[in-house]
Amino acid sequence: MNLYEHTIIARQDTSPSEIKQLTEKYSKIVEKNEGEIIKTENWGLLNLSYLIKKNKKGSYIHFKIKSKGNVIDELEKNEAIDKKLLRYLTVRVKKFDLEANYFAKSEDGDKKESYRN
């Protein structure tokens, strides 16, 4: 079994309920093809570096998947025809980092100090 990190970017006008449906849809595809979802993260609405199909922002959903390569082929085949998605990316990794949550809101409200003094 291989380990993959898979990220999809949905259109900016996608509602939270539609985001949940997309997450469930692609989770079912992985499980139907004998893969396993280790972790799912909703990174929320983030700015894009450049316009993609006239969108300035996108809703990011990140999956950590343990499966064989055919699961990723099936997943990407379905995502290529989905009109709600802007982009998708799959990266094969050696091990998962399950502790770091890079897009979580900081609870104490402290901003990182800038190097410009």
Side-chain angles (χ1 to χ4, degrees):
M1 292 284 219
N2 299 320
L3 304 177
Y4 298 97
E5 291 198 7
H6 183 74
T7 304
I8 58 177
I9 306 173
R11 299 173 58 87
Q12 64 188 7
D13 57 354
T14 307
S15 70
S17 64
E18 289 175 321
I19 296 290
K20 187 175 179 183
Q21 288 175 348
L22 285 172
T23 305
E24 290 173 1
K25 174 183 175 182
Y26 294 115
S27 296
K28 286 179 185 175
I29 290 172
V30 170
E31 291 165 2
K32 185 172 68 174
N33 290 298
E34 299 175 8
E36 181 184 355
I37 301 282
I38 304 298
K39 187 175 181 182
T40 303
E41 300 173 2
N42 185 355
W43 290 347
L45 190 66
L46 300 171
N47 290 327
L48 300 173
S49 297
Y50 53 90
L51 286 178
I52 301 175
K53 298 179 186 174
K54 300 181 181 176
N55 288 279
K56 292 181 181 179
K57 296 183 177 197
S59 296
Y60 286 68
I61 306 167
H62 184 75
F63 299 95
K64 295 184 190 292
I65 302 170
K66 183 177 181 182
S67 68
K68 296 179 182 172
N70 64 335
V71 175
I72 301 303
D73 294 338
E74 184 67 26
L75 197 59
E76 291 182 350
K77 183 175 77 172
N78 283 285
E79 291 168 349
I81 58 175
D82 196 337
K83 299 290 183 195
K84 293 179 185 174
L85 299 184
L86 299 174
R87 292 279 192 275
Y88 56 88
L89 174 71
T90 306
V91 178
R92 186 173 168 192
V93 295
K94 293 185 179 182
K95 67 175 189 169
F96 290 134
D97 181 9
L98 297 174
E99 289 149 20
N101 193 355
Y102 298 107
F103 293 95
K105 305 275 189 244
S106 61
E107 294 176 11
D108 55 1
D110 290 339
K111 302 238 178 189
K112 291 184 179 177
E113 290 185 27
S114 112
Y115 290 104
R116 293 183 231 160
N117 288 336

